[in-house]
Amino acid sequence: MVFVLVAVAVLALLAGVHRYVWRRLIGDTTAKGSLARRAGTVAAFVLPLLTVGAFVSSRSGVPFRVQQVLAWPGYLWLAALLYLTLALLVGEAVRPLLGRFLARRAAARQAAPVEVSAGAPAVQVPAAADPGPATDGSTRTDPAPDTEAPAPPVADPSRRLFVARAVGGAAALAGLGTVGHGTYGVLRGPRTKRITVRLAGLPRSAHGFRIAMVSDIHLGPILGRAHTRRVVDAINATSPDLVAVVGDLVDGSVADLGPAAEPLAGLEARHGSYFVTGNHEYFSGAAEWVDHVRELGLHPLENARVEIAGFDLAGVNDVAGESEGQGPDFARALGDRDRSRASVLLAHQPVVIDDAVEYGVGLQLSGHTHGGQLWPGNLVAELANPTVAGYERYGDTQLYVSRGAGAWGPPVRVGAPSDITVVELASPQA
């Protein structure tokens, strides 16, 4: 029952937002019956249907080609709706100011004195004639001068239309421009960041060890093989000692996205490449993907630990796996280790940081949040995650959260650019 009420509330909100956007961008700026109004009205109905179709198709097993056809317009419209609405809300404050400015300017022009050029004949305005006595013998009285206040000026329809078009056009330019720039940032590929982390217990021989960390690649109906290739090229360009793929690699089955993931076989690192599951793997057949990435040369860490170059590298399953009995098991991954050794933990969601602290982990590498992906989504992400992006310390445990290399839903990022991070470990003995 609660789910139904929430669904109805969400649908009502979306309907209201679409109505508002239509009114400001179409209803206020076009004439009734015009081609522009008809086209805008059709788009106002079709675009949200495509968005619903994009979400439903990804969960209903429709052919992958259909998912791809629906995904681009459906997901992009979701991002466009967000930023068009925000821009139009800002425009509500600008609208009356612009209207008053134009009204004052028009009034000033009407009140300006008329200049008479030299030599032009003066125009004589005859005075009102004396009406004289009334013909019927009564006394005629002149009407009293009108002392009532003038009627308030009537808004000029042409001025009102100009204001609506100016504000609507500026909002459309700002909203769609924001989405276009955010889409370019995703399709261009992630940028490389570099941080240095001083890790307790790390021997001098491992000083400068470099881990190329990537999360949230999100291969799916929009981001495919070319995106994987960009990510792999960016990682290999850093010449890392080890590669860590920290969950949410895919949004779909191995049958649909196996070819898109194949470039991962080209990852190059002296100590190999490692993988842990994210929550989206459990929506897409986690067991099949674990087997597939192993075939591509990556080493899955399913609640497991390996010793590498003087430190322990551990990985735990994502918390979403609990529904399948495959959730994180910190005792299995870290319970019997020598705590005097340095340790690095791969865990998709930063919310498990308390467990990492309890088991004496030196550094946890996570993703999941996308840094919010679409501003102001970071404000929402802060409510559900201890750290949304970047570095923080929790007691003796350090946490680094990547914004991820891809995007979920709309292939758009605003205020949270995608990244690959090279984590360089520093020894206290160096």
Side-chain angles (χ1 to χ4, degrees):
M1 184 62 179
V2 175
F3 174 80
V4 173
L5 292 176
V6 171
V8 170
V10 170
L11 289 175
L13 175 63
L14 288 175
V17 170
H18 277 87
R19 170 65 182 173
Y20 169 71
V21 171
W22 177 90
R23 182 167 65 87
R24 285 308 192 197
L25 291 183
I26 306 299
D28 292 349
T29 62
T30 59
K32 291 182 178 180
S34 66
L35 178 61
R37 176 167 293 197
R38 289 198 298 268
T41 302
V42 170
F45 281 96
V46 172
L47 289 171
L49 291 177
L50 290 174
T51 299
V52 173
F55 277 106
V56 172
S57 67
S58 65
R59 295 288 182 266
S60 59
V62 303
F64 188 64
R65 181 57 183 165
V66 175
Q67 295 181 40
Q68 291 177 305
V69 170
L70 293 173
W72 273 103
Y75 288 134
L76 280 177
W77 172 242
L78 195 63
L81 179 66
L82 169 63
Y83 291 108
L84 285 174
T85 303
L86 292 176
L88 287 169
L89 290 175
V90 172
E92 296 298 339
V94 176
R95 187 182 302 273
L97 299 177
L98 179 58
R100 283 196 290 269
F101 169 76
L102 294 175
R104 290 195 193 100
R105 191 172 69 171
R109 288 178 177 175
Q110 292 176 359
V114 179
E115 295 183 2
V116 180
S117 59
V123 179
Q124 297 295 330
V125 180
D130 183 2
T135 57
D136 58 1
S138 62
T139 303
R140 183 186 297 272
T141 57
D142 294 334
D146 186 7
T147 58
E148 295 182 2
V154 179
D156 184 356
S158 63
R159 186 189 311 131
R160 189 166 56 244
L161 180 61
F162 175 81
V163 170
R165 288 178 173 176
V167 174
L173 184 63
L176 297 180
T178 299
V179 172
H181 184 267
T183 303
Y184 168 76
V186 172
L187 299 183
R188 176 200 59 203
R191 298 301 192 190
T192 301
K193 298 175 61 177
R194 298 176 185 273
I195 66 167
T196 299
V197 177
R198 189 179 181 88
L199 193 59
L202 188 72
R204 181 187 297 269
S205 60
H207 179 75
F209 191 96
R210 287 170 295 112
I211 301 174
M213 170 199 178
V214 61
S215 71
D216 302 279
I217 297 174
H218 281 289
L219 301 179
I222 292 179
L223 300 177
R225 188 183 182 94
H227 181 64
T228 312
R229 183 76 264 165
R230 286 190 293 267
V231 170
V232 170
D233 289 345
I235 291 174
N236 288 344
T238 68
S239 300
D241 295 306
L242 181 146
V243 175
V245 181
V246 193
D248 277 8
L249 171 64
V250 294
D251 285 303
S253 66
V254 172
D256 291 334
L257 296 173
E262 286 178 356
L264 292 173
L267 286 170
E268 300 173 357
R270 189 158 55 100
H271 291 275
S273 301
Y274 291 82
F275 170 81
V276 293
T277 55
N279 55 306
H280 281 249
E281 270 72 58
Y282 291 97
F283 307 149
S284 307
E288 291 81 3
W289 275 110
V290 167
D291 291 340
H292 190 65
V293 298
R294 184 180 288 112
E295 293 171 0
L296 296 176
L298 282 73
H299 307 287
L301 290 175
E302 299 182 274
N303 298 321
R305 181 179 77 251
V306 294
E307 295 183 4
I308 295 180
F311 68 93
D312 293 334
L313 178 71
V316 291
N317 295 344
D318 185 71
V319 294
E322 292 175 348
S323 62
E324 302 179 13
Q326 299 175 5
D329 188 338
F330 282 83
R332 178 180 169 190
L334 298 162
D336 59 349
R337 78 177 192 88
D338 180 0
R339 292 201 177 193
S340 67
R341 288 173 54 83
S343 59
V344 176
L345 172 68
L346 309 183
H348 177 64
Q349 297 194 42
V351 294
V352 300
I353 184 64
D354 292 336
D355 295 286
V357 172
E358 179 183 350
Y359 281 88
V361 171
L363 171 64
Q364 176 178 317
L365 301 178
S366 297
H368 181 65
T369 68
H370 297 206
Q373 185 169 326
L374 296 171
W375 182 92
N378 58 304
L379 303 179
V380 178
E382 287 174 357
L383 301 176
N385 297 278
T387 299
V388 174
Y391 172 90
E392 283 194 55
R393 177 181 284 274
Y394 294 83
D396 293 332
T397 301
Q398 302 170 87
L399 171 65
Y400 180 79
V401 180
S402 169
R403 293 189 178 96
W408 179 77
V412 183
R413 282 178 171 265
V414 177
S418 58
D419 64 58
I420 290 167
T421 304
V422 176
V423 181
E424 183 170 327
L425 305 180
S427 170
Q429 303 176 22

